[in-house]
Amino acid sequence: MPTNHPHLCEPIRVGNVVFRNRMFSAPVGGAEITADCCIDRSTTAFYELRAQGGAANVTASECMVHPATDASHAFHLNTTQPGSLSGFAHTADAIMRHGAIPSLELSHSGQFAGTYLTDKSKKEGLAQFGPSDGTRTDGHPVKALTKAQIDDIVAAYGQTAALAKRVGFQMLMVHGGHGWLINQFLSPYFNKRTDEYGGSLENRARFACEVLNAVRAAVGKGFPIEFRMSGSEFFEGGYDLDEGVRIAQLLESRVDILHVSAGSYQRGFSITHPSQFRAHGCNVYLAAEIKKHVSIPVATVGGLNDPDQMEEIIASGQADIVEMARALMADPFLPRKVMAGADDEILPCLRCFVCMAERPVTATRSCAVNPVIGRELDGTEVVPVLNPKRVLVAGGGPGGLKAALTAAERGHEVILCEAEDSLGGISKGEVVLPFKREMADNARVLGLLCERAGVDIRLNTRVTPEVAREIAPDAIIVAVGSESIVPPIPGINSLHVIGATELYLRADEAKGDIAVIGGGLSGTEAAIWFGMQGHKVTLLSMETEVAPDANIRQRPILLSELEEQQVTALTQSTCTKIGEGSLSYKDADGAEHTIKADTVILAAGQRARRADADALRDCAPFVRLIGDCVRPSNVTIATTQGYHAALDI
Ligand SMILES: Cc1cc2nc3c(=O)[nH]c(=O)nc-3n(C[C@H](O)[C@H](O)[C@H](O)COP(=O)(O)O)c2cc1C
Ligand code: SF4
């Protein structure tokens, strides 16, 4: 099938290398790091998947070049550690054997060394070096690098680059953005030096130039070097796009691709990793501006996942290459689907930050919609079965859909019954929130894939034991989900009370001042959405904080969005009565208050449909309960359990 995206799929030559399309796999830190900072086979497999999925290149990342002054959370490529060489060699090989170009990102954290260490106690003993003396916001002192140290680090970039080429990488990325060391030198905010490395832009760029000269000397002409930079630092005192353009101009003769990202990690992740509240491709204009002023290929990155948008970016000349990180974890096969004209089968990234939240806590990587991520070696691949069975899936939410699809892909005969008149379960309601649209899209695409895989989908069919016995399945996967909790508050059944999960049907009824009962993720998101529409919103939480169920990367973004939308968040507050146009609550001290509330949104949590699920326990030789009907949780758990239930049949 021909692609609908000819520009996106057109090969591009850079230096001596031809890339098979314009879709690059942006750097993503690997799954696990060994105790001696090496890449192991699980990380190799983590990167290999994106090469299999059709990306033009795959950038393995977090290779620190100078552990003596960095010692961050990253990997290390070093001749004195044999494990480091073989791990990198296997990774380059695993990427290359699927037709993708293996690239390695060389980096140095500078004064932010150790920021993302899983073992925070190790941070205490670390030395932090940056361009200038100072103190980090977390109180750690920073020492200015001496000229001798700078020379040593520059040399280390060259040595690591030579090793990277030797072990099989066919291009390199030098990380000069996101607030790490090279960016710190470029930044007037961090760089207060008075020697030849500070002051004028030419001086601030000297370190980057020396690094790139050393890397070029190590790899030779024609070997692509990609320089990752922030087009603008996006904070007061940092450099802006005008300076970003000048930086690009100063560096372009030394590199082959300018890769334009944005922002700085230390100022939050919503710019560097555009959050669900920012537009897809919100950084493209930075690349487009830089492209006007340089003559080498420019790459753009940030919240990209829509093939039509990416096609337009390339076709209109805003950038030559598009890069994706999260979109290729959610669906590593996105590039192949685009190349094959099957873009309606792409499973979208939710921008939920699950993939970033686990690593600093549990040192693992996972994805909300792709259960394989971070577990590539765990025998999780979908293997066809020798003896196909009849599988009944009860419930068409994301967990049930994933289960049905996986079972069908394995060759089972699958019947999926959904009690309502459409698929998607709790996810379909997310269609109403623009920043959660992908959640509904994910369920929609899973439904389409189920249809194409031959799943017999029966809507308006509740699976009772009688229905199950009639179908006579060999296996049942029970994914009947959860229902909203309706607390016994006087007035709760009034017409102006709308459940958060029925918002997609009744959003038009909401008017005036809004009170949201329930400060979990769903209540918080509803409050933000109403705030965006100009309503005066009060969010009531019985807990000590709002959105306690959000992950550590997502939560700060939600909190700042609540602030942005001027939502009044009341914690330790319990609703006591809902009146006509008002709501009463008790605060932490037991004092009673009444506020104006023309509409009340109920987001007091979910209760498992346990009884419905338990009723099916004896209806087949294999029965597995998954997702919310076991315990209300989230799409990650529902999807993972659905997938594995289908693999276990
Ligand atoms: C889980 C994860 C790990 C990442 N690790 C790195 C990294 O090691 N080095 C780096 O330069 N960028 C890293 N990034 C940033 C991405 O390369 C990319 O700039 C960012 O995610 C925005 O692109 P996206 O919207 O396509 O995800 C990481 C992103 C994610 C989601
Ligand atoms: S975990 Fe969430 S943000 Fe990360 S890739 Fe998966 S869907 Fe996207």
Side-chain angles (χ1 to χ4, degrees):
M1 200 191 297
T3 177
N4 308 316
H5 302 94
H7 293 89
L8 199 51
C9 296
E10 194 187 352
I12 179 169
R13 171 183 279 276
V14 180
N16 293 337
V17 174
V18 178
F19 297 84
R20 59 184 167 189
N21 59 53
R22 306 296 178 100
M23 294 169 276
F24 281 28
S25 174
V28 172
E32 279 155 51
I33 303 173
T34 64
D36 52 355
C37 285
C38 295
I39 283 186
D40 66 7
R41 285 300 183 101
S42 67
T43 291
T44 300
F46 172 77
Y47 289 121
E48 180 169 13
L49 189 57
R50 269 165 286 292
Q52 285 173 304
N57 90 337
V58 177
T59 304
S61 70
E62 295 184 313
C63 178
M64 63 173 162
V65 297
H66 196 255
T69 52
D70 189 346
S72 65
H73 58 299
F75 299 106
H76 185 197
L77 180 53
N78 176 344
T79 42
T80 63
Q81 277 173 280
S84 82
L85 294 194
S86 66
F88 279 98
H90 282 303
T91 301
D93 185 49
I95 295 167
M96 178 271 298
R97 66 182 170 234
H98 298 288
I101 303 301
S103 180
L104 183 65
E105 179 186 62
L106 307 182
S107 63
H108 191 303
S109 315
Q111 69 179 66
F112 295 112
T115 314
Y116 301 117
L117 277 172
T118 307
D119 180 354
K120 303 289 179 224
S121 66
K122 281 192 188 153
K123 210 163 95 173
E124 300 309 315
L126 284 179
Q128 272 90 24
F129 293 96
S132 308
D133 288 332
T135 309
R136 283 183 359 188
T137 44
D138 63 3
H140 282 267
V142 178
K143 276 203 79 56
L145 288 163
T146 63
K147 170 74 175 120
Q149 283 173 314
I150 290 175
D151 291 346
D152 211 33
I153 293 171
V154 167
Y157 268 99
Q159 286 149 12
T160 314
L163 275 176
K165 185 177 178 186
R166 174 64 190 83
V167 298
F169 286 95
Q170 294 169 6
M171 68 180 287
L172 287 171
M173 176 185 281
V174 174
H175 199 344
H178 294 174
W180 300 122
L181 183 62
I182 294 178
N183 189 169
Q184 289 157 30
F185 270 90
L186 291 170
S187 171
Y189 180 86
F190 292 112
N191 185 346
K192 304 290 181 202
R193 294 178 80 101
T194 51
D195 61 3
E196 71 269 36
Y197 293 97
S200 67
L201 184 60
E202 283 67 20
N203 279 357
R204 282 183 274 131
R206 190 176 306 281
F207 178 64
C209 291
E210 289 179 358
V211 164
L212 292 171
N213 291 346
V215 171
R216 176 62 74 206
V219 297
K221 241 177 120 194
F223 187 95
I225 300 175
E226 180 175 10
F227 185 75
R228 170 166 252 204
M229 61 179 286
S230 295
S232 164
E233 290 192 281
F234 283 111
F235 61 83
E236 219 181 311
Y239 67 77
D240 59 9
L241 178 56
D242 285 346
E243 271 213 342
V245 169
R246 287 177 58 213
I247 290 168
Q249 288 173 319
L250 278 170
L251 302 181
E252 71 167 315
S253 63
R254 294 170 171 85
V255 300
D256 302 282
I257 301 172
L258 279 163
H259 168 128
V260 183
S261 184
S264 176
Y265 279 6
Q266 288 70 37
R267 301 289 163 143
F269 289 95
S270 77
I271 293 180
T272 51
H273 304 64
S275 77
Q276 61 197 129
F277 299 109
R278 309 193 71 225
H280 289 283
C282 53
N283 296 333
V284 173
Y285 79 99
L286 300 168
E289 187 56 33
I290 285 176
K291 188 166 160 52
K292 284 184 205 153
H293 297 90
V294 299
S295 52
I296 60 170
V298 171
T300 181
V301 69
L304 297 168
N305 69 352
D306 173 2
D308 292 346
Q309 183 186 33
M310 295 191 284
E311 170 73 10
E312 170 59 20
I313 291 167
I314 308 287
S316 61
Q318 295 177 81
D320 304 282
I321 293 160
V322 291
E323 308 223 5
M324 291 164 274
R326 290 168 294 176
L328 297 187
M329 279 190 282
D331 191 343
F333 288 82
L334 181 155
R336 262 167 75 167
K337 290 177 182 176
V338 173
M339 302 278 284
D343 23 299
D344 58 349
E345 297 189 354
I346 294 168
L347 285 158
C349 162
L350 312 179
R351 297 199 280 175
C352 61
F353 288 106
V354 166
C355 51
M356 294 178 65
E358 276 307 304
R359 174 84 178 275
V361 181
T362 61
T364 59
R365 195 67 90 204
S366 48
C367 168
V369 296
N370 187 349
V372 173
I373 295 300
R375 280 117 181 103
E376 290 83 357
L377 286 185
D378 294 351
T380 47
E381 64 286 354
V382 177
V383 180
V385 283
L386 289 177
N387 302 309
K389 303 250 165 57
R390 174 176 288 190
V391 178
L392 170 61
V393 178
L401 286 164
K402 186 71 183 176
L405 175 63
T406 309
E409 284 174 343
R410 297 189 66 212
H412 293 301
E413 176 198 352
V414 184
I415 299 155
L416 170 70
C417 295
E418 163 56 46
E420 296 187 11
D421 61 2
S422 59
L423 295 172
I426 215 168
S427 297
K428 69 181 170 216
E430 307 287 10
V431 73
V432 76
L433 307 181
F435 50 87
K436 293 287 293 277
R437 199 199 65 212
E438 272 90 0
M439 190 93 157
D441 285 348
N442 178 59
R444 185 181 47 74
V445 176
L446 283 173
L448 179 80
L449 292 172
C450 279
E451 251 174 59
R452 289 184 180 168
V455 175
D456 174 359
I457 298 172
R458 302 182 187 174
L459 300 176
N460 300 306
T461 308
R462 184 178 297 280
V463 180
T464 59
E466 294 69 39
V467 170
R469 282 192 199 103
E470 202 174 305
I471 292 172
D474 302 299
I476 304 183
I477 297 172
V478 186
V480 293
S482 58
E483 58 203 4
S484 303
I485 293 172
V486 182
I489 301 169
I492 195 85
N493 293 318
S494 312
L495 277 180
H496 67 293
V497 179
I498 304 174
T501 55
E502 47 171 9
L503 259 180
Y504 75 108
L505 298 171
R506 300 185 53 198
D508 290 353
E509 296 171 35
K511 56 178 185 339
D513 290 7
I514 308 257
V516 180
I517 302 176
L521 197 48
S522 122
T524 303
E525 287 167 344
I528 290 170
W529 182 59
F530 282 114
M532 284 174 169
Q533 293 171 80
H535 292 276
K536 182 168 186 282
V537 186
T538 306
L539 176 63
L540 240 76
S541 170
M542 288 165 70
E543 308 289 333
T544 51
E545 52 186 24
V546 292
D549 48 344
N551 67 56
I552 59 163
R553 292 282 175 255
Q554 187 187 30
R555 192 162 176 273
I557 294 169
L558 290 169
L559 295 188
S560 84
E561 203 60 33
L562 281 175
E563 210 175 300
E564 175 93 358
Q565 304 309 333
Q566 300 179 14
V567 172
T568 307
L570 303 171
T571 53
Q572 295 181 283
S573 299
T574 310
C575 177
T576 53
K577 196 170 108 195
I578 298 168
E580 208 44 57
S582 70
L583 179 144
S584 305
Y585 69 92
K586 249 189 204 147
D587 68 17
D589 304 319
E592 192 98 22
H593 308 265
T594 297
I595 54 171
K596 181 166 176 286
D598 302 298
T599 301
V600 175
I601 305 299
L602 182 61
Q606 294 293 116
R607 180 183 295 117
R609 292 202 178 99
R610 195 67 205 218
D612 293 354
D614 282 339
L616 301 175
R617 276 190 186 280
D618 298 328
C619 294
F622 176 103
V623 177
R624 176 76 58 80
L625 274 56
I626 64 154
D628 271 17
C629 71
V630 180
R631 193 156 67 92
S633 49
N634 52 40
V635 67
T636 316
I637 291 181
T639 308
T640 303
Q641 290 183 340
Y643 178 71
H644 284 276
L647 292 185
D648 287 349
I649 295 168

